[in-house]
Each structure stands twice: as C-alpha cells, then as structure tokens.
Amino acid sequence: MDKKLLIVDDQNGIRILLMEVFSSEGYTTYQAANGKLALEIVRSESPDLVLLDMKIPGMDGLEILKHIKAVNPDIKVIMMTAYGELDIIKEATELGALMHFTKPFDIDEMRIAVNMQLKGGAMI
C-alpha cells in the first residue's frame, strides 16, 4: 500500500500529530503550513488524500481546495475547520470535499475516515 497523504495546517502541533498518526498507519505523509507549499506538493507528489484546514494565512482552505481540484480532480480532500463555519463547509462540499472534521477533532474518528477513503470499505 503506497498511499500518500498531505496535511495542510498552519498549526505545527496539529501537523505533527497527524503526521505521526498517519505515518504509523503506513501512509507516506507530507505536510504544508501554507497554500503555496501545499500546491507545490500536490503538483510534485500527487497525494491520494489531503487533510486541509479551512483557515490558513495567505490562501484560505476553499481557495486551496479549488486549486487542488484543478490540478487533479481525483485527489480526495477532507476539510478541518473551527466550530461553526457551516457556510464554508457547504461551499467546500460543493467544490468536492468529501467531509469535514470540526476542531478539536477525535483523532480516532479521523483515522477511521482516512482509512476508509484510502483503503476502501463502507462508510460508518
């Protein structure tokens, strides 16, 4: 299994946590603190799934999502968001995001969701 996962969040602690969790699941993980770097990784590595924070300085999550889908519409995207950004979540879903997690999220729920997207299987 050679699945690639990109974690995009401006909070270093969240990136490190998610990198550790998903590396131990056997995924090749990449991280980016901003949209510019995230899109460079999308172009060079073509990850299978992107965990994308909504609020990133410089280029917000929706803008990054649009760019990811323009580069490769097959890349799966799961959004991470602060509480209560329902209008943004709706727009993200319309743009092709599969689901979202509200921070602080349950790491086990996210792990299950990512594994289902990348390894296949029924939605819980």
CSV table of all heavy atoms in Angstrom, one decimal, residues 41-105:
chain,number,residue,atom,x,y,z
A,41,ILE,N,3.4,20.6,-3.4
A,41,ILE,CA,3.4,19.2,-3.0
A,41,ILE,C,2.3,18.4,-3.8
A,41,ILE,O,2.6,17.3,-4.3
A,41,ILE,CB,3.2,19.0,-1.5
A,41,ILE,CG1,4.4,19.5,-0.7
A,41,ILE,CG2,3.0,17.5,-1.2
A,41,ILE,CD1,4.2,19.6,0.8
A,42,VAL,N,1.2,19.1,-4.0
A,42,VAL,CA,0.1,18.4,-4.8
A,42,VAL,C,0.6,18.2,-6.2
A,42,VAL,O,0.4,17.1,-6.8
A,42,VAL,CB,-1.2,19.3,-4.8
A,42,VAL,CG1,-2.1,18.9,-5.9
A,42,VAL,CG2,-1.9,19.2,-3.5
A,43,ARG,N,1.3,19.2,-6.8
A,43,ARG,CA,1.8,19.0,-8.2
A,43,ARG,C,2.9,18.0,-8.3
A,43,ARG,O,3.0,17.2,-9.2
A,43,ARG,CB,2.3,20.4,-8.7
A,43,ARG,CG,1.1,21.3,-9.0
A,43,ARG,CD,1.6,22.6,-9.7
A,43,ARG,NE,0.5,23.6,-9.7
A,43,ARG,CZ,0.4,24.6,-8.9
A,43,ARG,NH1,1.2,24.8,-7.9
A,43,ARG,NH2,-0.7,25.4,-9.0
A,44,SER,N,3.8,18.0,-7.3
A,44,SER,CA,5.0,17.2,-7.4
A,44,SER,C,4.8,15.7,-6.9
A,44,SER,O,5.3,14.8,-7.5
A,44,SER,CB,6.2,17.8,-6.6
A,44,SER,OG,5.9,17.8,-5.2
A,45,GLU,N,3.9,15.6,-5.9
A,45,GLU,CA,3.7,14.2,-5.3
A,45,GLU,C,2.4,13.6,-5.6
A,45,GLU,O,2.2,12.4,-5.4
A,45,GLU,CB,3.9,14.3,-3.8
A,45,GLU,CG,5.3,14.9,-3.3
A,45,GLU,CD,6.4,14.0,-3.8
A,45,GLU,OE1,6.2,12.8,-4.0
A,45,GLU,OE2,7.5,14.5,-3.9
A,46,SER,N,1.4,14.4,-6.0
A,46,SER,CA,0.1,13.9,-6.3
A,46,SER,C,-0.5,13.0,-5.2
A,46,SER,O,-0.7,11.8,-5.4
A,46,SER,CB,0.0,13.2,-7.7
A,46,SER,OG,-1.3,13.0,-8.1
A,47,PRO,N,-0.7,13.6,-4.0
A,47,PRO,CA,-1.2,12.8,-2.9
A,47,PRO,C,-2.6,12.2,-3.2
A,47,PRO,O,-3.3,12.7,-4.0
A,47,PRO,CB,-1.3,13.8,-1.7
A,47,PRO,CG,-1.4,15.1,-2.4
A,47,PRO,CD,-0.6,15.0,-3.7
A,48,ASP,N,-2.9,11.1,-2.5
A,48,ASP,CA,-4.2,10.4,-2.7
A,48,ASP,C,-5.3,11.2,-1.9
A,48,ASP,O,-6.4,11.2,-2.3
A,48,ASP,CB,-4.1,9.0,-2.2
A,48,ASP,CG,-3.1,8.2,-3.1
A,48,ASP,OD1,-3.5,7.9,-4.2
A,48,ASP,OD2,-2.0,7.9,-2.6
A,49,LEU,N,-4.8,11.8,-0.8
A,49,LEU,CA,-5.8,12.5,0.1
A,49,LEU,C,-5.1,13.7,0.7
A,49,LEU,O,-4.0,13.6,1.1
A,49,LEU,CB,-6.4,11.5,1.1
A,49,LEU,CG,-7.5,12.0,2.0
A,49,LEU,CD1,-8.5,10.9,2.2
A,49,LEU,CD2,-7.1,12.6,3.3
A,50,VAL,N,-5.9,14.7,0.9
A,50,VAL,CA,-5.4,15.9,1.5
A,50,VAL,C,-6.3,16.2,2.7
A,50,VAL,O,-7.5,16.3,2.6
A,50,VAL,CB,-5.4,17.2,0.6
A,50,VAL,CG1,-4.9,18.4,1.3
A,50,VAL,CG2,-4.5,16.9,-0.6
A,51,LEU,N,-5.7,16.4,3.9
A,51,LEU,CA,-6.4,16.9,5.1
A,51,LEU,C,-6.1,18.4,5.1
A,51,LEU,O,-4.9,18.8,5.3
A,51,LEU,CB,-5.8,16.2,6.4
A,51,LEU,CG,-6.2,14.8,6.5
A,51,LEU,CD1,-5.4,14.2,7.7
A,51,LEU,CD2,-7.7,14.6,6.7
A,52,LEU,N,-7.1,19.2,4.9
A,52,LEU,CA,-7.0,20.6,4.6
A,52,LEU,C,-7.7,21.5,5.6
A,52,LEU,O,-8.9,21.4,5.8
A,52,LEU,CB,-7.5,20.9,3.2
A,52,LEU,CG,-7.5,22.3,2.7
A,52,LEU,CD1,-6.1,22.9,2.7
A,52,LEU,CD2,-8.1,22.3,1.3
A,53,ASP,N,-6.9,22.3,6.3
A,53,ASP,CA,-7.5,23.3,7.3
A,53,ASP,C,-8.2,24.4,6.5
A,53,ASP,O,-7.7,24.8,5.5
A,53,ASP,CB,-6.4,23.8,8.2
A,53,ASP,CG,-7.0,24.6,9.3
A,53,ASP,OD1,-8.1,24.4,9.7
A,53,ASP,OD2,-6.3,25.5,9.8
A,54,MET,N,-9.3,24.9,7.0
A,54,MET,CA,-10.0,26.0,6.4
A,54,MET,C,-9.3,27.3,6.5
A,54,MET,O,-9.3,28.1,5.6
A,54,MET,CB,-11.4,26.1,7.0
A,54,MET,CG,-12.4,25.1,6.5
A,54,MET,SD,-12.9,25.5,4.8
A,54,MET,CE,-14.3,24.5,4.7
A,55,LYS,N,-8.8,27.5,7.7
A,55,LYS,CA,-8.2,28.9,8.0
A,55,LYS,C,-6.7,28.8,7.9
A,55,LYS,O,-6.0,28.4,8.9
A,55,LYS,CB,-8.7,29.3,9.4
A,55,LYS,CG,-10.2,29.6,9.5
A,55,LYS,CD,-10.5,30.9,8.9
A,55,LYS,CE,-11.9,31.3,9.2
A,55,LYS,NZ,-12.7,31.6,8.0
A,56,ILE,N,-6.2,29.3,6.8
A,56,ILE,CA,-4.7,29.3,6.6
A,56,ILE,C,-4.4,30.7,6.2
A,56,ILE,O,-5.0,31.2,5.2
A,56,ILE,CB,-4.3,28.2,5.6
A,56,ILE,CG1,-4.5,26.8,6.2
A,56,ILE,CG2,-2.8,28.4,5.3
A,56,ILE,CD1,-4.1,25.7,5.4
A,57,PRO,N,-3.4,31.3,6.8
A,57,PRO,CA,-3.0,32.7,6.4
A,57,PRO,C,-2.5,32.7,4.9
A,57,PRO,O,-1.9,31.7,4.4
A,57,PRO,CB,-1.8,33.0,7.3
A,57,PRO,CG,-1.9,32.1,8.5
A,57,PRO,CD,-2.6,30.8,7.9
A,58,GLY,N,-2.9,33.7,4.2
A,58,GLY,CA,-2.5,33.9,2.8
A,58,GLY,C,-3.4,33.4,1.8
A,58,GLY,O,-4.0,34.1,1.0
A,59,MET,N,-3.7,32.1,1.9
A,59,MET,CA,-4.7,31.5,0.9
A,59,MET,C,-5.6,30.6,1.8
A,59,MET,O,-5.1,29.6,2.4
A,59,MET,CB,-3.8,30.6,-0.1
A,59,MET,CG,-4.6,30.1,-1.2
A,59,MET,SD,-3.7,28.9,-2.3
A,59,MET,CE,-2.3,29.9,-2.8
A,60,ASP,N,-6.9,30.8,1.8
A,60,ASP,CA,-7.7,30.1,2.6
A,60,ASP,C,-8.0,28.7,2.1
A,60,ASP,O,-7.7,28.4,0.9
A,60,ASP,CB,-9.0,30.8,3.0
A,60,ASP,CG,-10.0,30.9,1.8
A,60,ASP,OD1,-9.8,30.3,0.8
A,60,ASP,OD2,-11.0,31.6,1.9
A,61,GLY,N,-8.6,27.8,2.9
A,61,GLY,CA,-8.9,26.5,2.5
A,61,GLY,C,-9.7,26.3,1.2
A,61,GLY,O,-9.4,25.4,0.5
A,62,LEU,N,-10.7,27.1,1.1
A,62,LEU,CA,-11.5,27.0,-0.1
A,62,LEU,C,-10.7,27.3,-1.4
A,62,LEU,O,-10.8,26.6,-2.4
A,62,LEU,CB,-12.7,27.9,-0.1
A,62,LEU,CG,-13.8,27.6,0.9
A,62,LEU,CD1,-14.9,28.6,0.9
A,62,LEU,CD2,-14.4,26.2,0.6
A,63,GLU,N,-9.8,28.3,-1.3
A,63,GLU,CA,-9.0,28.6,-2.5
A,63,GLU,C,-8.0,27.5,-2.8
A,63,GLU,O,-7.9,27.1,-3.9
A,63,GLU,CB,-8.2,29.9,-2.2
A,63,GLU,CG,-7.7,30.6,-3.4
A,63,GLU,CD,-7.1,31.9,-3.0
A,63,GLU,OE1,-7.4,32.5,-1.9
A,63,GLU,OE2,-6.2,32.3,-3.8
A,64,ILE,N,-7.4,26.9,-1.7
A,64,ILE,CA,-6.5,25.8,-1.9
A,64,ILE,C,-7.3,24.6,-2.5
A,64,ILE,O,-6.8,23.9,-3.4
A,64,ILE,CB,-5.9,25.4,-0.5
A,64,ILE,CG1,-5.0,26.6,0.0
A,64,ILE,CG2,-5.0,24.1,-0.7
A,64,ILE,CD1,-4.6,26.4,1.4
A,65,LEU,N,-8.5,24.3,-2.0
A,65,LEU,CA,-9.3,23.2,-2.5
A,65,LEU,C,-9.6,23.4,-4.0
A,65,LEU,O,-9.5,22.4,-4.7
A,65,LEU,CB,-10.6,23.2,-1.7
A,65,LEU,CG,-11.7,22.2,-2.2
A,65,LEU,CD1,-11.2,20.7,-2.1
A,65,LEU,CD2,-13.0,22.3,-1.3
A,66,LYS,N,-9.9,24.6,-4.4
A,66,LYS,CA,-10.2,24.8,-5.8
A,66,LYS,C,-9.0,24.5,-6.7
A,66,LYS,O,-9.0,23.9,-7.7
A,66,LYS,CB,-10.6,26.3,-6.1
A,66,LYS,CG,-12.0,26.6,-5.6
A,66,LYS,CD,-12.3,28.1,-5.8
A,66,LYS,CE,-13.5,28.5,-5.0
A,66,LYS,NZ,-13.7,30.0,-5.0
A,67,HIS,N,-7.8,24.9,-6.2
A,67,HIS,CA,-6.5,24.7,-6.9
A,67,HIS,C,-6.2,23.2,-6.9
A,67,HIS,O,-5.8,22.7,-8.0
A,67,HIS,CB,-5.4,25.5,-6.2
A,67,HIS,CG,-5.4,26.9,-6.5
A,67,HIS,ND1,-5.2,27.4,-7.8
A,67,HIS,CD2,-5.6,28.0,-5.7
A,67,HIS,CE1,-5.3,28.8,-7.7
A,67,HIS,NE2,-5.5,29.1,-6.5
A,68,ILE,N,-6.4,22.5,-5.8
A,68,ILE,CA,-6.1,21.1,-5.8
A,68,ILE,C,-7.0,20.4,-6.8
A,68,ILE,O,-6.5,19.5,-7.6
A,68,ILE,CB,-6.4,20.5,-4.4
A,68,ILE,CG1,-5.4,21.0,-3.4
A,68,ILE,CG2,-6.4,18.9,-4.4
A,68,ILE,CD1,-5.7,20.6,-1.9
A,69,LYS,N,-8.3,20.7,-6.8
A,69,LYS,CA,-9.2,20.0,-7.8
A,69,LYS,C,-8.9,20.4,-9.2
A,69,LYS,O,-9.1,19.6,-10.1
A,69,LYS,CB,-10.7,20.4,-7.4
A,69,LYS,CG,-11.2,19.7,-6.1
A,69,LYS,CD,-11.1,18.2,-6.2
A,69,LYS,CE,-11.7,17.5,-5.0
A,69,LYS,NZ,-11.7,16.1,-5.2
A,70,ALA,N,-8.3,21.6,-9.4
A,70,ALA,CA,-7.9,22.0,-10.8
A,70,ALA,C,-6.7,21.2,-11.2
A,70,ALA,O,-6.6,20.8,-12.4
A,70,ALA,CB,-7.6,23.5,-10.8
A,71,VAL,N,-5.8,20.9,-10.3
A,71,VAL,CA,-4.6,20.2,-10.6
A,71,VAL,C,-5.0,18.7,-10.9
A,71,VAL,O,-4.5,18.1,-11.9
A,71,VAL,CB,-3.5,20.3,-9.5
A,71,VAL,CG1,-2.4,19.3,-9.7
A,71,VAL,CG2,-3.0,21.7,-9.4
A,72,ASN,N,-5.8,18.1,-10.0
A,72,ASN,CA,-6.2,16.7,-10.1
A,72,ASN,C,-7.5,16.5,-9.4
A,72,ASN,O,-7.5,16.4,-8.2
A,72,ASN,CB,-5.1,15.8,-9.5
A,72,ASN,CG,-5.4,14.4,-9.7
A,72,ASN,OD1,-6.6,14.0,-10.0
A,72,ASN,ND2,-4.5,13.5,-9.4
A,73,PRO,N,-8.6,16.4,-10.2
A,73,PRO,CA,-9.9,16.2,-9.6
A,73,PRO,C,-10.1,14.9,-8.8
A,73,PRO,O,-11.0,14.8,-8.0
A,73,PRO,CB,-10.9,16.3,-10.7
A,73,PRO,CG,-10.1,16.3,-12.0
A,73,PRO,CD,-8.6,16.5,-11.6
A,74,ASP,N,-9.2,14.0,-9.0
A,74,ASP,CA,-9.3,12.7,-8.3
A,74,ASP,C,-8.7,12.7,-6.9
A,74,ASP,O,-8.9,11.8,-6.1
A,74,ASP,CB,-8.6,11.6,-9.1
A,74,ASP,CG,-9.3,11.3,-10.4
A,74,ASP,OD1,-10.5,11.6,-10.5
A,74,ASP,OD2,-8.6,10.9,-11.3
A,75,ILE,N,-8.0,13.8,-6.5
A,75,ILE,CA,-7.4,13.8,-5.2
A,75,ILE,C,-8.6,14.0,-4.2
A,75,ILE,O,-9.4,14.9,-4.3
A,75,ILE,CB,-6.4,15.0,-5.0
A,75,ILE,CG1,-5.2,14.7,-5.9
A,75,ILE,CG2,-6.0,15.2,-3.6
A,75,ILE,CD1,-4.1,15.8,-5.9
A,76,LYS,N,-8.6,13.2,-3.2
A,76,LYS,CA,-9.6,13.3,-2.1
A,76,LYS,C,-9.3,14.3,-1.1
A,76,LYS,O,-8.1,14.4,-0.8
A,76,LYS,CB,-9.8,11.9,-1.5
A,76,LYS,CG,-10.3,10.9,-2.4
A,76,LYS,CD,-10.4,9.5,-1.8
A,76,LYS,CE,-11.0,8.5,-2.8
A,76,LYS,NZ,-11.2,7.2,-2.2
A,77,VAL,N,-10.2,15.1,-0.7
A,77,VAL,CA,-10.0,16.2,0.3
A,77,VAL,C,-10.9,16.1,1.5
A,77,VAL,O,-12.1,16.0,1.3
A,77,VAL,CB,-10.1,17.6,-0.3
A,77,VAL,CG1,-9.8,18.7,0.7
A,77,VAL,CG2,-9.1,17.7,-1.5
A,78,ILE,N,-10.4,16.1,2.7
A,78,ILE,CA,-11.1,16.2,3.9
A,78,ILE,C,-10.8,17.5,4.6
A,78,ILE,O,-9.6,17.8,4.8
A,78,ILE,CB,-10.9,15.0,4.8
A,78,ILE,CG1,-11.3,13.7,4.2
A,78,ILE,CG2,-11.5,15.2,6.2
A,78,ILE,CD1,-11.0,12.4,5.0
A,79,MET,N,-11.8,18.3,4.9
A,79,MET,CA,-11.6,19.6,5.5
A,79,MET,C,-11.5,19.5,7.0
A,79,MET,O,-12.2,18.7,7.6
A,79,MET,CB,-12.7,20.6,5.1
A,79,MET,CG,-13.0,20.7,3.6
A,79,MET,SD,-11.6,21.3,2.6
A,79,MET,CE,-11.4,23.0,3.2
A,80,MET,N,-10.7,20.4,7.6
A,80,MET,CA,-10.7,20.6,9.0
A,80,MET,C,-11.1,22.0,9.3
A,80,MET,O,-10.6,22.9,8.6
A,80,MET,CB,-9.3,20.3,9.6
A,80,MET,CG,-8.8,18.9,9.3
A,80,MET,SD,-7.1,18.6,10.0
A,80,MET,CE,-6.1,19.6,8.8
A,81,THR,N,-12.0,22.2,10.2
A,81,THR,CA,-12.5,23.5,10.4
A,81,THR,C,-12.7,23.9,11.9
A,81,THR,O,-12.9,23.0,12.7
A,81,THR,CB,-13.8,23.7,9.6
A,81,THR,OG1,-14.4,24.9,10.0
A,81,THR,CG2,-14.8,22.5,10.0
A,82,ALA,N,-12.7,25.1,12.2
A,82,ALA,CA,-13.1,25.6,13.5
A,82,ALA,C,-14.6,25.5,13.6
A,82,ALA,O,-15.3,25.4,12.6
A,82,ALA,CB,-12.6,27.0,13.7
A,83,TYR,N,-15.1,25.5,14.8
A,83,TYR,CA,-16.5,25.3,15.1
A,83,TYR,C,-17.4,26.3,14.4
A,83,TYR,O,-17.0,27.5,14.4
A,83,TYR,CB,-16.8,25.4,16.6
A,83,TYR,CG,-18.2,25.3,16.9
A,83,TYR,CD1,-18.9,24.1,16.9
A,83,TYR,CD2,-18.9,26.4,17.4
A,83,TYR,CE1,-20.3,24.1,17.2
A,83,TYR,CE2,-20.2,26.4,17.7
A,83,TYR,CZ,-20.9,25.2,17.6
A,83,TYR,OH,-22.2,25.1,17.9
A,84,GLY,N,-18.4,25.9,13.7
A,84,GLY,CA,-19.5,26.8,13.3
A,84,GLY,C,-19.3,27.5,11.9
A,84,GLY,O,-20.0,28.4,11.6
A,85,GLU,N,-18.4,27.0,11.1
A,85,GLU,CA,-18.2,27.6,9.8
A,85,GLU,C,-19.1,26.9,8.7
A,85,GLU,O,-18.6,26.4,7.7
A,85,GLU,CB,-16.7,27.6,9.4
A,85,GLU,CG,-15.9,28.4,10.3
A,85,GLU,CD,-14.4,28.1,10.1
A,85,GLU,OE1,-14.0,27.1,9.7
A,85,GLU,OE2,-13.6,29.1,10.4
A,86,LEU,N,-20.4,26.8,9.0
A,86,LEU,CA,-21.3,26.0,8.2
A,86,LEU,C,-21.4,26.4,6.7
A,86,LEU,O,-21.4,25.6,5.8
A,86,LEU,CB,-22.6,25.9,8.8
A,86,LEU,CG,-22.7,25.1,10.1
A,86,LEU,CD1,-24.1,25.2,10.7
A,86,LEU,CD2,-22.3,23.6,9.9
A,87,ASP,N,-21.4,27.7,6.5
A,87,ASP,CA,-21.5,28.2,5.1
A,87,ASP,C,-20.3,27.8,4.3
A,87,ASP,O,-20.4,27.4,3.2
A,87,ASP,CB,-21.6,29.8,5.1
A,87,ASP,CG,-20.6,30.5,6.0
A,87,ASP,OD1,-20.0,29.9,6.9
A,87,ASP,OD2,-20.3,31.6,5.7
A,88,ILE,N,-19.1,27.9,5.0
A,88,ILE,CA,-17.8,27.5,4.3
A,88,ILE,C,-17.8,26.0,4.0
A,88,ILE,O,-17.4,25.5,3.0
A,88,ILE,CB,-16.6,27.9,5.1
A,88,ILE,CG1,-16.6,29.4,5.3
A,88,ILE,CG2,-15.3,27.4,4.5
A,88,ILE,CD1,-15.5,29.9,6.2
A,89,ILE,N,-18.3,25.2,5.0
A,89,ILE,CA,-18.4,23.8,4.9
A,89,ILE,C,-19.3,23.4,3.7
A,89,ILE,O,-18.9,22.5,2.9
A,89,ILE,CB,-18.9,23.1,6.2
A,89,ILE,CG1,-17.9,23.3,7.3
A,89,ILE,CG2,-19.2,21.6,6.0
A,89,ILE,CD1,-18.4,23.1,8.7
A,90,LYS,N,-20.4,24.0,3.6
A,90,LYS,CA,-21.3,23.8,2.4
A,90,LYS,C,-20.6,24.1,1.1
A,90,LYS,O,-20.7,23.3,0.2
A,90,LYS,CB,-22.6,24.6,2.6
A,90,LYS,CG,-23.6,24.4,1.5
A,90,LYS,CD,-24.9,25.2,1.8
A,90,LYS,CE,-25.9,25.0,0.8
A,90,LYS,NZ,-25.6,25.6,-0.5
A,91,GLU,N,-19.9,25.2,1.0
A,91,GLU,CA,-19.2,25.5,-0.2
A,91,GLU,C,-18.1,24.5,-0.5
A,91,GLU,O,-17.9,24.1,-1.6
A,91,GLU,CB,-18.6,27.0,-0.1
A,91,GLU,CG,-18.1,27.4,-1.4
A,91,GLU,CD,-17.7,28.9,-1.4
A,91,GLU,OE1,-18.0,29.6,-0.5
A,91,GLU,OE2,-16.9,29.3,-2.4
A,92,ALA,N,-17.4,24.1,0.5
A,92,ALA,CA,-16.3,23.1,0.4
A,92,ALA,C,-16.9,21.8,-0.2
A,92,ALA,O,-16.3,21.2,-1.1
A,92,ALA,CB,-15.6,22.9,1.7
A,93,THR,N,-18.0,21.4,0.3
A,93,THR,CA,-18.6,20.2,-0.2
A,93,THR,C,-19.0,20.3,-1.6
A,93,THR,O,-18.8,19.4,-2.4
A,93,THR,CB,-19.9,19.8,0.7
A,93,THR,OG1,-19.5,19.8,2.1
A,93,THR,CG2,-20.5,18.5,0.3
A,94,GLU,N,-19.5,21.5,-2.0
A,94,GLU,CA,-19.9,21.7,-3.4
A,94,GLU,C,-18.7,21.7,-4.3
A,94,GLU,O,-18.7,21.3,-5.5
A,94,GLU,CB,-20.6,23.1,-3.5
A,94,GLU,CG,-22.1,23.0,-3.0
A,94,GLU,CD,-22.7,24.4,-2.8
A,94,GLU,OE1,-22.1,25.4,-3.1
A,94,GLU,OE2,-23.8,24.4,-2.3
A,95,LEU,N,-17.5,22.1,-3.7
A,95,LEU,CA,-16.3,22.1,-4.5
A,95,LEU,C,-15.6,20.8,-4.6
A,95,LEU,O,-14.6,20.6,-5.2
A,95,LEU,CB,-15.3,23.1,-3.9
A,95,LEU,CG,-15.7,24.6,-4.1
A,95,LEU,CD1,-14.8,25.5,-3.2
A,95,LEU,CD2,-15.6,25.0,-5.6
A,96,GLY,N,-16.1,19.8,-3.8
A,96,GLY,CA,-15.6,18.4,-3.9
A,96,GLY,C,-15.0,17.9,-2.7
A,96,GLY,O,-14.5,16.8,-2.7
A,97,ALA,N,-15.0,18.6,-1.6
A,97,ALA,CA,-14.5,18.0,-0.3
A,97,ALA,C,-15.5,16.9,0.1
A,97,ALA,O,-16.7,16.9,0.0
A,97,ALA,CB,-14.5,19.0,0.8
A,98,LEU,N,-14.9,15.8,0.6
A,98,LEU,CA,-15.7,14.6,1.0
A,98,LEU,C,-16.4,14.8,2.3
A,98,LEU,O,-17.5,14.3,2.4
A,98,LEU,CB,-14.8,13.4,1.1
A,98,LEU,CG,-14.0,13.0,-0.2
A,98,LEU,CD1,-12.9,12.0,0.1
A,98,LEU,CD2,-15.0,12.4,-1.2
A,99,MET,N,-15.8,15.4,3.3
A,99,MET,CA,-16.3,15.5,4.6
A,99,MET,C,-15.5,16.5,5.3
A,99,MET,O,-14.5,17.0,4.8
A,99,MET,CB,-16.3,14.2,5.3
A,99,MET,CG,-14.9,13.6,5.5
A,99,MET,SD,-14.8,12.0,6.4
A,99,MET,CE,-15.4,10.9,5.1
A,100,HIS,N,-15.9,16.8,6.6
A,100,HIS,CA,-15.1,17.8,7.4
A,100,HIS,C,-15.1,17.3,8.8
A,100,HIS,O,-15.9,16.5,9.2
A,100,HIS,CB,-15.7,19.2,7.3
A,100,HIS,CG,-17.0,19.3,8.1
A,100,HIS,ND1,-18.2,18.9,7.6
A,100,HIS,CD2,-17.2,19.8,9.3
A,100,HIS,CE1,-19.1,19.2,8.5
A,100,HIS,NE2,-18.5,19.7,9.6
A,101,PHE,N,-14.0,17.7,9.5
A,101,PHE,CA,-13.9,17.5,10.9
A,101,PHE,C,-13.8,18.8,11.6
A,101,PHE,O,-13.1,19.7,11.1
A,101,PHE,CB,-12.7,16.7,11.2
A,101,PHE,CG,-12.8,15.2,10.9
A,101,PHE,CD1,-12.6,14.7,9.6
A,101,PHE,CD2,-13.3,14.3,11.9
A,101,PHE,CE1,-12.7,13.4,9.3
A,101,PHE,CE2,-13.5,13.0,11.6
A,101,PHE,CZ,-13.2,12.5,10.3
A,102,THR,N,-14.6,19.0,12.7
A,102,THR,CA,-14.5,20.2,13.4
A,102,THR,C,-13.5,20.1,14.5
A,102,THR,O,-13.4,19.1,15.2
A,102,THR,CB,-15.9,20.5,14.1
A,102,THR,OG1,-16.9,20.6,13.0
A,102,THR,CG2,-15.9,21.8,14.8
A,103,LYS,N,-12.6,21.1,14.6
A,103,LYS,CA,-11.6,21.1,15.7
A,103,LYS,C,-12.2,21.5,17.0
A,103,LYS,O,-13.1,22.4,17.0
A,103,LYS,CB,-10.5,22.1,15.3
A,103,LYS,CG,-9.6,21.7,14.1
A,103,LYS,CD,-8.6,22.8,13.9
A,103,LYS,CE,-7.7,22.5,12.7
A,103,LYS,NZ,-6.8,23.6,12.4
A,104,PRO,N,-11.8,20.9,18.1
A,104,PRO,CA,-10.8,19.8,18.2
A,104,PRO,C,-11.5,18.5,17.7
A,104,PRO,O,-12.6,18.2,18.2
A,104,PRO,CB,-10.4,19.8,19.7
A,104,PRO,CG,-11.6,20.3,20.4
A,104,PRO,CD,-12.2,21.3,19.4
A,105,PHE,N,-10.9,17.8,16.8
A,105,PHE,CA,-11.5,16.6,16.3
A,105,PHE,C,-11.0,15.3,17.1
A,105,PHE,O,-10.0,15.4,17.8
A,105,PHE,CB,-11.2,16.4,14.8
A,105,PHE,CG,-9.7,16.6,14.5
A,105,PHE,CD1,-8.7,15.7,14.7
A,105,PHE,CD2,-9.3,17.8,13.9
A,105,PHE,CE1,-7.4,15.9,14.4
A,105,PHE,CE2,-8.0,18.1,13.6
A,105,PHE,CZ,-7.1,17.1,13.9
